[in-house]
Amino acid sequence: MTRLLVASRNSKKLAELRRILAPELPDVEVIGLDDVPAYDEVPEPGATFADNALLKAREGFAHTGLPTVADDSGLAVDALNGMPGVLSARWSGRHGDDKGNLRLVLGQLADADDERLGAAFVCAVAFVDADGEVIVDGRMPGRLIREPRGANGFGYDPIFVPDGHDVTSAELDSADKDAISHRGQALRALVPHLLGRSSLS
């Protein structure tokens, strides 16, 4: 079976990507960075999600020779002028500190009016193989709430209510979240570019 590398060690994110990609690419095994020999991962210095996603995909392909998918995503808050943005995962100072990031964002919004709590999850997904590079994106608009709810998601999911819903992303089940999520949109946009690639056949 052909292998497709997802350049991530985030187990929850990897599970999400597998759920979305597996039905579309049934003959492809989706693996993560923990499934390949370790290499030095570069920082994410890009000014945009696309910059960072492409950097990670290029690194994965260069070090493993496997067709590689990478994503970069984050939360853009109206009242914070689009931040945390590309800094979402390390907004409180330490990469991946979900609770610290939540507390900091909620603290920064404590004096913001409710109508300024609009936000969107934004994602860029990059794919790199010997035949070239592809970048796609996705966006899930919504609004923030002031107290976390739900345990099904990760990151900022417990304070984000997608448009058209009255529950947070962390209260949605996996199938419902995948159907509307920024990452789900981007991955579904990527699939047509993957079908027929020599590296995946």
Side-chain angles (χ1 to χ4, degrees):
M1 179 176 282
T2 303
R3 295 194 299 168
L4 172 65
L5 174 65
V6 173
S8 178
R9 297 185 190 282
N10 183 322
S11 60
K12 292 182 178 179
K13 181 185 291 189
L14 187 58
E16 186 176 357
L17 269 67
R18 281 180 173 142
R19 285 196 310 268
I20 296 167
L21 288 175
E24 305 289 345
L25 302 167
D27 296 323
V28 174
E29 179 187 9
V30 179
I31 63 172
L33 288 178
D34 288 335
D35 301 311
V36 297
Y39 59 85
D40 290 334
E41 297 169 52
V42 296
E44 299 175 19
T48 68
F49 295 116
D51 289 343
N52 287 329
L54 188 55
L55 175 67
K56 290 186 285 188
R58 284 172 174 168
E59 286 289 305
F61 177 66
H63 285 282
T64 68
L66 295 171
T68 301
V69 167
D71 90 296
D72 194 36
S73 56
L75 181 70
V77 181
D78 293 349
L80 300 178
N81 296 316
M83 299 301 283
V86 294
L87 301 175
S88 292
R90 51 191 182 278
W91 191 234
S92 62
R94 186 165 61 87
H95 193 282
D97 182 3
D98 286 356
K99 291 182 179 179
N101 292 334
L102 278 180
R103 284 194 300 269
L104 180 55
V105 165
L106 290 175
Q108 291 169 326
L109 297 173
D111 296 328
D113 295 335
D114 286 350
E115 60 265 23
R116 298 189 64 223
L117 296 184
F121 273 121
V122 183
C123 175
V125 172
F127 172 81
V128 175
D129 69 1
D131 295 328
E133 302 174 346
V134 178
I135 303 175
V136 294
D137 55 40
R139 181 180 180 89
M140 179 170 61
R143 60 183 174 82
L144 301 186
I145 58 173
R146 299 185 187 275
E147 293 289 338
R149 296 197 324 242
N152 293 339
F154 59 96
Y156 297 94
D157 283 341
I159 61 169
F160 183 85
V161 177
D163 280 354
H165 293 73
D166 56 7
V167 297
T168 68
S169 294
E171 293 175 298
L172 292 170
D173 65 30
S174 296
D176 288 339
K177 180 184 174 186
D178 292 347
I180 63 170
S181 77
H182 52 309
R183 196 171 290 112
Q185 292 176 44
L187 287 169
R188 284 188 290 274
L190 179 65
V191 167
H193 297 281
L194 301 185
L195 297 175
R197 301 286 284 218
S198 60
S199 63
L200 296 176
S201 57

